[in-house]
Amino acid sequence: MTVSPEELRPAADFPPTTRERWRELALGVLRKSGVETGSPEEALASLTYDGVTIAPLYDASDLPGDPGLPGAAPYVRGSRPEGGGWDVRQRHEVADPEAVLADLENGVTSLWLALEPEDLPRVLERVHVELISITLDAGERTREAAEALFEVAEGKRAAAARLRDAAPAGEGETGDRAAGEGETGGRAAGERETGGRASGELAGNLGADPLRDPRTAVELARRCAREFPGLRAIVVDGTPYHDAGGSDAEELGCSVAAGVAALRTLTGAGLTVAEAFGQLEFRYAATADQFLTIAKLRAARRLWARVAEVCGAGAPEAGQRQHAVTGSAMMTARDPWVNMLRTTLACFAAGTGGADAVTVQPFDVRLGLPDAFARRIARNTHALLVEEAGVARVTDPAGGSWYVERLTEDLAEKAWEWFQEIERAGGMAAAPAAGLVAARLAATWERRAANIARRRDPVTGVSEFPDLAERPPVRSPHPRDVPGRHYAEEFEALRDLADAQESRPGVFLATIGPVAAYTARASFAANLFQAGGIAAVTAAPGTDAGSGVDPARIAAAFTASGARVACLCSSDRLYGEHAEAVAAALRDAGAGKIWLAGKGEFAGVDANLYAGCDVLDVLRTTFDDLGVAR
């Protein structure tokens, strides 16, 4: 029997589908759910904080055009033509040479050193600086830190030269390696960026900020362009805009505006356009929203390629070099172990999105300085994704996805509009632009905070599924203040308030009827109150008060609980039959506030809990009703 190729296709037994057929089926489901609409696309679509529409379905008609090839303008698909993974960049805030060596011996290929300048020689004493890249983060002491790094490099070059001069004839070729005997560099995966350099030759970034200190930025850029071709002087950091609560397009627009301001500073000081572009590295936040992160990094390269085109810069300078950092705003102090999941998603998205270097923040970063276990988990996240999952085997694996390509284009358009608005205000270095940016970020944070309060943007382990019995690890404080917003901050403040009381505040859940009738709403109410550190007190299932409808028995259980606030939990039918009687009994028993889980108005009930209600307002009100000072 002969089988045609068409019959071998997996979908051969299924009828062809069309968008119209999907719309017909989707409308049927929506109408059964009580949603009356003529457009399932509109009913099922959602909006990002930038106003970008996330559609329920994409097809080939959504493709915005040819995104090009990896390593070619407009660099949407990557700044490099080859894949091969990314630099594993670990951050260090304290001068701990052993911790640095442990990282480098176990997969880290790049160091991000937020250290005092005087600590750099000791930390790098046993490090093969020519095998890794080094990024500095010294703030106001950037010039001093850069000079310290230059001295370290010169010392290693001199040591290598002395060893070569002393080597017997024929062994000169091994001199460079011998000079570092006992030293540590990154693994082979990092050699894409740093391999093949002579002893003491540097790569990485000095971390200068032209907006804060243009003179230092210019001096270091000149020196890098002249003496250190593998080293860049300037970081254009978009993460502060993200950490202030900004959206993805706002982070992108601000970073492009800051990059353009840096170009103006450098070219105004005499650097060529190519030299100026070659001195910049961009830093972006990677979040647990994997598709938006992928699209953001792809859009960033497209935007910067457009700037390069206007400025007359060509390859390779037009390809934006990117450092992605798992976002600080999403990290939690409560249930910090969930941060491992968040950073794994973010690291995957950063690598898939084409970042050149990726930093995974340790899961305990909100608690203080990470310990050895947290650093190990952070670096092993990269290893799992690259070595086990094979994420780096394909260049731009998201390329060609109708959804990702459309999202990339839409995000780029929004970011470009925002960038132009900043430019019209005088550019990133102008005071009016600074006020414009601050106002925009504050407005976005206000919208985001409202969604967090209503749990439309849930925070797992904090606003959803909290663990009141958790015992977070204790860590030493960070040596520097860590500015920025955190999505969980308001809920965590209430958790801290509850934990500070002599006995944990509690709310009595007045369950009405059998277990099957009240379990769903009782679980919802318990989860809600626990998000603020308030315990949910219930009568034991199977008792008259725990599975009955007798108001007197329920009121007696409330009195025995010692609570001052109650919440009715049951089905709509049983509410109609018993809610008012139970509320009256609870009031007589001393309940100062009576909630009802669900919607509906009943005599004696003060307010309702429901999906989408302002949970933070409920929790603050409950603290007030319990007499807990805030």
Side-chain angles (χ1 to χ4, degrees):
M1 182 178 68
T2 302
V3 180
S4 69
E6 183 67 25
E7 291 176 303
L8 291 175
R9 292 175 57 197
D13 293 333
F14 295 89
T17 59
T18 64
R19 180 178 283 268
E20 286 305 312
R21 178 57 178 160
W22 172 83
R23 294 182 80 255
E24 179 183 334
L25 295 173
L27 279 172
V29 173
L30 288 169
R31 285 167 182 160
K32 289 180 180 178
S33 302
V35 178
E36 291 297 331
T37 179
S39 171
E41 287 91 348
E42 291 181 6
L44 297 173
S46 60
L47 288 177
T48 70
Y49 285 102
D50 294 304
V52 172
T53 299
I54 305 297
L57 182 69
Y58 291 84
D59 60 25
S61 66
D62 293 298
L63 288 174
D66 184 6
L69 296 173
Y75 302 100
V76 172
R77 304 201 64 192
S79 296
R80 308 182 311 273
E82 80 285 354
W86 53 84
D87 273 351
V88 178
R89 185 171 293 177
Q90 192 89 311
R91 180 178 170 86
H92 287 266
E93 299 177 70
V94 294
D96 186 344
E98 296 306 317
V100 168
L101 293 177
D103 278 344
L104 292 173
E105 290 168 353
N106 290 282
V108 167
T109 61
S110 178
L111 296 176
W112 181 7
L113 303 177
L115 305 176
E116 298 300 326
E118 53 269 22
D119 292 327
L120 290 174
R122 179 166 61 92
V123 169
L124 296 174
E125 181 180 5
R126 295 159 59 195
V127 174
H128 264 300
V129 297
E130 70 275 9
L131 294 181
I132 63 171
S133 67
I134 297 173
T135 292
L136 302 180
D137 185 357
E140 295 180 355
R141 302 188 69 188
T142 295
R143 186 196 302 269
E144 298 171 68
E147 292 297 335
L149 182 61
F150 294 150
E151 291 178 9
V152 168
E154 180 57 35
K156 290 183 180 291
R157 280 197 295 267
R162 289 194 298 271
L163 191 59
R164 281 195 300 270
D165 292 343
E171 294 187 11
E173 293 181 0
T174 64
D176 276 2
R177 182 60 188 169
E181 188 173 347
E183 299 183 8
T184 301
R187 62 174 179 170
E191 294 181 3
R192 171 182 54 75
E193 170 67 19
T194 60
R197 303 199 309 268
S199 290
E201 187 174 341
L202 296 172
N205 199 296
L206 299 178
D209 181 356
L211 292 176
R212 181 179 57 202
D213 187 352
R215 181 177 177 181
T216 294
V218 167
E219 291 178 0
L220 294 179
R222 285 173 175 161
R223 188 165 182 183
C224 287
R226 183 176 64 249
E227 301 177 28
F228 301 96
L231 191 63
R232 298 173 188 244
I234 293 167
V235 169
V236 179
D237 195 353
T239 61
Y241 309 110
H242 169 83
D243 293 344
S247 66
D248 296 290
E250 287 164 355
E251 181 185 358
L252 288 175
C254 288
S255 69
V256 172
V260 168
L263 292 177
R264 292 188 178 114
T265 298
L266 297 180
T267 56
L271 275 75
T272 67
V273 169
E275 288 174 334
F277 270 85
Q279 290 303 308
L280 307 188
E281 179 179 74
F282 287 73
R283 183 176 295 149
Y284 294 108
T287 73
D289 191 327
Q290 58 182 353
F291 286 110
L292 271 174
T293 295
I294 293 169
K296 177 168 70 176
L297 295 174
R298 300 172 92 246
R301 293 191 294 271
R302 178 175 179 79
L303 294 166
W304 196 239
R306 174 58 179 155
V307 172
E309 180 184 6
V310 172
C311 293
E317 290 81 9
Q320 186 186 73
R321 178 161 178 83
Q322 296 177 334
H323 172 203
V325 184
T326 57
S328 296
M330 70 178 178
M331 303 293 272
T332 65
R334 293 288 179 163
D335 208 351
W337 301 275
V338 180
N339 290 331
M340 297 183 198
L341 307 178
R342 296 185 179 99
T343 55
T344 299
L345 280 168
C347 184
F348 166 82
T352 302
D356 300 282
V358 180
T359 296
V360 171
Q361 296 204 66
F363 76 92
D364 54 358
V365 67
R366 284 285 311 283
L367 303 174
L369 291 171
D371 67 359
F373 173 73
R375 289 194 301 270
R376 176 171 174 260
I377 293 298
R379 64 178 181 255
N380 282 352
T381 300
H382 301 269
L384 184 150
L385 290 170
V386 174
E387 307 296 343
E388 294 189 38
V391 171
R393 293 176 187 169
V394 178
T395 301
D396 188 30
S401 160
W402 300 325
Y403 172 37
V404 172
E405 297 291 1
R406 181 74 263 166
L407 186 58
T408 299
E409 182 69 12
D410 290 347
L411 199 55
E413 290 177 359
K414 293 290 185 181
W416 189 258
E417 291 173 4
W418 172 229
F419 158 66
Q420 291 180 314
E421 191 173 344
I422 296 172
E423 287 293 286
R424 285 193 295 270
M428 208 61 172
L436 175 70
V437 170
R440 178 69 66 88
L441 297 178
T444 301
W445 171 254
E446 186 175 348
R447 288 187 288 129
R448 190 187 299 275
N451 285 335
I452 293 170
R454 295 178 179 277
R455 300 197 294 188
R456 295 188 183 116
D457 290 352
V459 183
T460 304
V462 182
S463 68
E464 296 276 16
F465 311 111
D467 178 10
L468 298 191
E470 70 168 307
R471 294 184 178 180
V474 177
R475 297 288 186 261
S476 300
H478 292 281
R480 302 181 188 176
D481 291 336
V482 183
R485 299 278 193 173
H486 297 101
Y487 300 153
E489 61 187 32
E490 295 295 332
F491 283 97
E492 289 179 334
L494 294 178
R495 288 282 298 275
D496 293 343
L497 177 62
D499 289 352
Q501 306 307 305
E502 291 185 8
S503 59
R504 182 171 297 282
V507 170
F508 179 77
L509 302 187
T511 55
I512 303 171
V515 172
Y518 67 70
T519 294
R521 280 174 169 158
S523 298
F524 170 82
N527 185 286
L528 185 151
F529 286 114
Q530 288 166 1
I534 299 171
V537 183
T538 61
T543 65
D544 290 339
S547 59
V549 297
D550 183 355
R553 292 184 179 276
I554 294 173
F558 167 77
T559 300
S561 73
R564 297 166 58 182
V565 174
C567 179
L568 307 188
C569 302
S570 193
S571 65
D572 289 343
R573 181 181 65 83
L574 291 178
Y575 281 154
E577 297 174 2
H578 304 287
E580 294 184 0
V582 172
L586 290 170
R587 189 76 70 191
D588 290 342
K593 185 67 167 282
I594 299 175
W595 296 89
L596 182 140
K599 296 184 178 180
E601 297 183 5
F602 301 93
V605 172
D606 297 306
N608 298 76
L609 307 178
Y610 52 89
C613 71
D614 189 331
V615 175
L616 284 174
D617 183 64
V618 170
L619 294 172
R620 290 169 181 145
T621 298
T622 302
F623 274 111
D624 293 341
D625 293 333
L626 294 173
V628 177
R630 293 191 285 118

